[in-house]
Amino acid sequence: MSSLLEVRGLRKSFGGTEILRGIDFSVAAQELVFVIGPSGSGKSTMLRCCNRLEEPTAGHVFVDGVDLMAPSTDINAMRRRIGMVFQAFNLYPHMTALGNVTLALRKVLGKPREEAEAIALAALDRVGLKEKAGNYPSELSGGQQQRVALGVALANRPRVLLADEPTGELDSRSSDEVFAAIRTANGLAPLQEAAAH
């Protein structure tokens, strides 16, 4: 099975402190990988290095075989293949769920409103929130807000989805909803169904 995301010899230092010391791993298509460790151990830094929101000190990150560290790589184009979900929902409070999802499609990708809304509705449907498209973040639970944030990331049809503690601020029920949405978006059965087979 070929790797969709491959990290080789990843290092990151802040001043004289080395946070990441030669990290190597690979992720195949539809594979879910969880990184577990104590607070401050470098998990978020590693994820941010995987789309160069943080510049690695050394090493290589490949997405679909493209080296993100190569000088010839168009990092903005490659970031469109990498979805990112953060612990904080990062939704605009004055925009509806639909508005939040369509924003990047219209402003960054330049898609016409009708096309952007069709893509956004499909993304909200994938996370089980199509019926909440007209709701504002303040009208949604924490789990629903995080699922909208997931919809924002999925709307661009990324090849890789990086999620930085996506359930860190949620209760157990909302966390289950978010993980179920991630599994469904990845083409995987919910855990209860998967366990039955």
Side-chain angles (χ1 to χ4, degrees), residues 183 189-197:
R183 288 182 61 83
L191 285 175
Q192 296 83 352
E193 290 181 25
H197 294 295

Side-chain angles (χ1 to χ4, degrees), residues 126-168:
R126 288 179 74 188
V127 298
L129 286 177
K130 187 175 181 179
E131 75 285 355
K132 300 287 187 181
N135 289 69
Y136 290 89
S138 62
E139 300 171 324
L140 301 172
S141 69
Q144 289 171 333
Q145 289 182 60
Q146 189 61 293
R147 283 155 61 198
V148 172
L150 178 58
V152 172
L154 293 175
N156 207 27
R157 298 188 180 274
R159 297 283 289 142
V160 174
L161 179 67
L162 305 174
D164 188 5
E165 297 192 46
T167 62

Side-chain angles (χ1 to χ4, degrees), residues 23-82:
I23 304 295
D24 296 294
F25 68 90
S26 62
V27 183
Q30 290 192 300
E31 186 176 13
L32 296 178
V33 175
F34 297 86
V35 179
I36 299 170
S39 181
S41 61
K43 302 182 302 293
S44 294
T45 298
M46 184 191 73
L47 285 178
R48 291 172 64 84
C49 284
C50 287
N51 64 2
R52 282 184 55 195
L53 286 176
E54 198 71 64
E55 286 294 330
T57 305
H60 294 274
V61 178
F62 297 87
V63 174
D64 264 350
V66 177
D67 186 354
L68 299 191
M69 302 308 297
S72 59
T73 297
D74 181 343
I75 189 61
N76 290 322
M78 288 305 296
R79 281 191 184 130
R80 292 185 198 121
R81 299 188 195 182
I82 307 168

